[in-house]
Amino acid sequence: MFVQPLRILALAILVTTTGLTFAQDTPALTQEHSRTFTANKRYLIFPRADGLVGTDQIAVEVNGEPFLYVFDSPIAKTDPDFWTYLDLSLIQGKGITVRMRGPNEAGIELVKLSDTIPGRYPLYHEPGRPQVHFSPLRGWLNDPSGMIYFDGLWHLSYANTRFANRMAGPNNAWGHATSRDLLHWEEAPMLLNPVRGQYSFWTGGAAVDIENTTGLGHPDKAALVFSANNGSDAPNEFTQCVFPSIDGGMSVIFNPEMMFKPLPADVERRGGGTRDPMILWYAPEKKWVLIVYNKPKDGKDGFYFYESRDLKSWQETSVLEGMFECPNLFELPVDGNPARKRWVIWGSDTSYYVGVFDGKTFVPEGRKHRMHLGGFSASQIFANAPGGRIVQIGWGHLPESDFQSEFTQMASFPLELSLKTTPQGLRLSAGFISELATLRNGGSAKKDIVINPGKPLILPNVPDVMELDIEFDPGTAAQVTITANQLNLKWKAATNDLEFNSSTVSVVPTDGRVRLHVLLDVPSLEVVSNGGEYYTFEPRNFKKLDGKSPLKIAVEGGAVTLHRLNVYPLKSIQPPAIQE
């Protein structure tokens, strides 16, 4: 987004040739096609064909400067299956040049300016579209990035390939959405765009520039800083970058002095893909901390810690081995007691340590733990969340084969984390954010019901998208099964295991009771067990949903007392279905 003059200057420094040169590694290409536009509508829309990837290349320049260059795109040269887009909100009035090269380059004649995004389905109501979770309007989503709360807005960026439906490092952008309530999200222009051969931006973090290190903040509005990895297919691959923002996180400034930092500095200690820089302000020493994932050749996965006073030069302070990708570091009160706090360090594979951090070194207290299971990874927390909340969102994995059209993959439902004392020691606890209750649309309740073998409890016609709050005393039962359309939870007394889809979760009765909090969306199933002891994400076969189905609770081997069953239909967070 060429909004700030400093960014334009920086791009002129970074790009050593005028304009963009197409790659020559695609066979049988005809002469490239180009068109020019003036940004006087909200979107520039592109004709897409169904499919995960293609072989078409797309380059976009704004006022002669590189703006975006992606490849492996399945472009439609006639009769698009759907349309993808670039949001031009921040570059209104500027000149745009679009060039295409590839077997479907004639599709450039269909590229056009528009204030709407047409499609065969209403936006956000396509087959498989989540109705109570964030998902990208177009293209692929994976690692959440740059998550921060500022001036009343929650900012969620995410790895996004807008012009294909598969994770592709060299094409990786930061999609960007904002929300005022953590539920309803509005897509914004991409925060970081990929330009093949120059840069592509992978996972990173965000922080408020409290002490105005950048010199760009004002008394009435602080600057923000975003950290990102410059990924593959670039001259400075797998180096770390920091980007200031002076408009509340809607766009960033490219400052070459803060970009392309090779960390670790010693090339012999760098692995083939150092990445995922997480930035935070360490107030006790008034300095910046950057944590980077690295795996040296013949070495171990680990998080590498750096410190800086100016966001330009970074000094290594320590290494924590045994941690994998997407570092998160945050402090929590123990049992809600602000006088007793501990730090938690978290990796992409959802493993974490509880320990102490002195601004240089993280020292674990005890062994590594894991509480998130299933198809959930690469999570982040929102920096600067009000009230000290630790709110987490991860990548919810969906089967690629089911999503080859408008969008693919989704964000998990936001979770609030806390740190609790348990008989096994300090452990994280996770629960759906309390804002979920505002989506409830009526509901039904059952309590203190005895369910006997052969006489299941049946509730007819429960919706596909709903929240279940369940608490039961298993008594002497050998098994409790909870089923609905594309829902099959099975708790077994012999092992204290809860089985569903591909997951098995240990759910030992607490005070003689099993507690399950279940969130069902069109393509997903999430379960929080025993008040936050474990959280599990699993995909759901949306193709077999039919709108209404019975909910059935059956028991085997003995009677069960159902102390609580709350069934809440949920209102959609998506805009009304309007066919463009």
Side-chain angles (χ1 to χ4, degrees):
M1 291 136 236
F2 300 83
V3 180
Q4 304 300 336
L6 181 55
R7 181 170 182 182
I8 295 174
L9 174 62
L11 280 167
I13 294 170
L14 293 172
V15 180
T16 57
T17 59
T18 302
L20 293 170
T21 302
F22 275 115
Q24 300 300 317
D25 55 359
T26 304
L29 295 181
T30 60
Q31 183 178 0
E32 68 192 49
H33 289 217
S34 66
R35 292 183 63 197
T36 59
F37 304 86
T38 299
N40 57 16
K41 295 188 176 182
R42 179 166 180 181
Y43 302 112
L44 186 64
I45 60 175
F46 298 77
R48 266 286 311 271
D50 285 339
L52 298 178
V53 294
T55 56
D56 298 300
Q57 302 176 37
I58 303 168
V60 179
E61 296 175 0
V62 174
N63 283 0
E65 298 289 350
F67 184 78
L68 176 138
Y69 175 18
V70 296
F71 57 107
D72 294 344
S73 299
I75 291 297
K77 57 185 175 182
T78 58
D79 302 322
D81 293 314
F82 64 96
W83 297 82
T84 192
Y85 72 100
L86 289 175
D87 189 329
L88 309 180
S89 299
L90 299 179
I91 54 172
Q92 287 293 293
K94 297 185 182 296
I96 299 173
T97 299
V98 178
R99 294 190 288 138
M100 283 190 187
R101 191 174 186 186
N104 301 299
E105 61 196 29
I108 197 170
E109 298 303 324
L110 301 180
V111 176
K112 58 186 176 181
L113 296 161
S114 177
D115 284 322
T116 61
I117 302 172
R120 55 190 162 187
Y121 305 105
L123 295 181
Y124 294 108
H125 293 272
E126 305 88 350
R129 175 71 73 175
Q131 292 301 298
V132 294
H133 292 73
F134 175 78
S135 56
L137 177 55
R138 290 291 182 264
W140 172 277
L141 171 150
N142 59 293
D143 301 10
S145 290
M147 289 169 47
I148 192 167
Y149 176 85
F150 189 73
D151 275 359
L153 281 180
W154 302 87
H155 292 259
L156 168 64
S157 293
Y158 57 94
N160 178 228
T161 49
R162 181 91 31 106
F163 292 87
N165 283 46
R166 177 173 287 173
M167 181 165 51
N171 293 336
N172 203 68
W174 275 25
H176 183 203
T178 62
S179 174
R180 294 196 176 276
D181 61 4
L182 282 171
L183 299 172
H184 301 85
W185 295 91
E186 181 178 355
E187 294 258 17
M190 284 191 279
L191 195 63
L192 293 169
N193 301 347
V195 175
R196 183 180 182 180
Q198 300 296 335
Y199 36 76
S200 63
F201 297 111
W202 294 13
T203 312
V208 178
D209 185 11
I210 297 172
E211 296 287 336
N212 200 23
T213 304
T214 62
L216 298 172
H218 299 281
D220 59 340
K221 191 162 192 174
L224 305 183
V225 292
F226 295 89
S227 57
N229 165 251
N230 183 41
S232 60
D233 192 54
N236 300 287
E237 65 178 357
F238 297 117
T239 54
Q240 317 314 318
C241 303
V242 173
F243 303 95
S245 172
I246 60 174
D247 60 359
M250 300 308 295
S251 66
V252 299
I253 296 168
F254 279 34
N255 181 345
E257 292 184 292
M258 297 181 181
M259 297 177 66
F260 306 137
K261 304 298 180 182
L263 302 174
D266 181 0
V267 67
E268 297 300 322
R269 297 179 63 234
R270 288 202 300 275
T274 56
R275 56 191 180 271
D276 307 339
M278 184 258 188
I279 194 167
L280 64 91
W281 176 253
Y282 188 70
E285 296 182 22
K286 293 189 174 183
K287 68 179 184 182
W288 293 98
V289 172
L290 194 71
I291 310 171
V292 177
Y293 165 73
N294 182 40
K295 184 181 181 181
K297 183 180 180 181
D298 301 323
K300 296 180 178 179
D301 295 296
F303 290 167
Y304 286 60
F305 290 74
Y306 299 87
E307 63 182 7
S308 176
R309 306 285 175 177
D310 61 5
L311 294 171
K312 299 173 184 177
S313 60
W314 295 90
Q315 292 74 46
E316 186 176 322
T317 62
S318 65
V319 177
L320 179 64
E321 291 187 337
M323 298 299 291
F324 181 70
E325 292 190 337
C326 303
N328 265 216
L329 178 66
F330 49 90
E331 193 176 26
L332 276 169
V334 177
D335 300 321
N337 180 4
R340 186 186 174 210
K341 294 184 177 182
R342 286 293 185 274
W343 288 84
V344 175
I345 194 160
W346 179 285
S348 175
D349 60 358
T350 75
S351 63
Y352 70 92
Y353 280 114
V354 178
V356 294
F357 179 63
D358 63 1
K360 295 181 181 292
T361 304
F362 181 92
V363 179
E365 296 179 329
R367 65 178 180 85
K368 192 157 53 173
H369 311 293
R370 192 170 183 228
M371 62 172 294
H372 290 40
L373 305 171
F376 175 99
S377 70
S379 63
Q380 276 203 14
I381 65 160
F382 285 95
N384 196 47
R389 297 177 73 183
I390 301 295
V391 178
Q392 178 189 60
I393 289 179
W395 167 20
H397 296 235
L398 299 175
E400 287 187 41
S401 58
D402 289 344
F403 296 89
Q404 300 190 37
S405 297
E406 286 81 356
F407 79 102
T408 180
Q409 311 304 300
M410 62 186 288
S412 70
F413 196 81
L415 301 169
E416 187 148 1
L417 304 183
S418 57
L419 193 57
K420 296 182 178 181
T421 302
T422 74
Q424 294 76 37
L426 295 181
R427 296 289 188 273
L428 278 177
S429 180
F432 302 125
I433 57 170
S434 59
E435 288 88 342
L436 172 60
T438 66
L439 296 180
R440 293 171 182 167
N441 187 21
S444 61
K446 304 285 185 182
K447 64 179 183 178
D448 299 329
I449 296 174
V450 176
I451 304 175
N452 291 295
K455 297 182 178 180
L457 174 68
I458 299 176
L459 276 65
N461 297 326
V462 297
D464 293 332
V465 180
M466 63 178 171
E467 174 192 1
L468 302 177
D469 179 23
I470 305 167
E471 180 179 329
F472 62 86
D473 180 345
T476 60
Q479 182 170 294
V480 179
T481 303
I482 304 165
T483 57
N485 195 353
Q486 301 309 300
L487 170 68
N488 190 347
L489 303 175
K490 187 179 295 183
W491 182 84
K492 295 182 176 181
T495 58
N496 288 318
D497 284 341
L498 180 72
E499 298 176 356
F500 57 102
N501 287 22
S502 61
S503 289
T504 300
V505 184
S506 176
V507 183
V508 179
T510 302
D511 300 325
R513 298 185 180 187
V514 171
R515 298 171 177 87
L516 303 174
H517 196 179
V518 182
L519 182 58
L520 289 160
D521 203 344
V522 174
S524 65
L525 161 64
E526 291 164 289
V527 179
V528 172
S529 51
N530 276 359
E533 185 177 18
Y534 287 102
Y535 159 85
T536 309
F537 179 100
E538 286 284 347
R540 193 178 183 203
N541 188 349
F542 68 87
K543 296 178 181 180
K544 293 186 177 181
L545 297 178
D546 55 12
K548 296 282 187 178
S549 67
L551 176 69
K552 177 180 176 181
I553 302 179
V555 304
E556 297 178 15
V560 167
T561 301
L562 182 66
H563 290 287
R564 184 176 69 248
L565 171 62
N566 294 320
V567 180
Y568 300 110
L570 297 175
K571 294 175 287 188
S572 174
I573 64 170
Q574 309 297 7
I578 299 174
Q579 188 73 53
E580 297 291 351

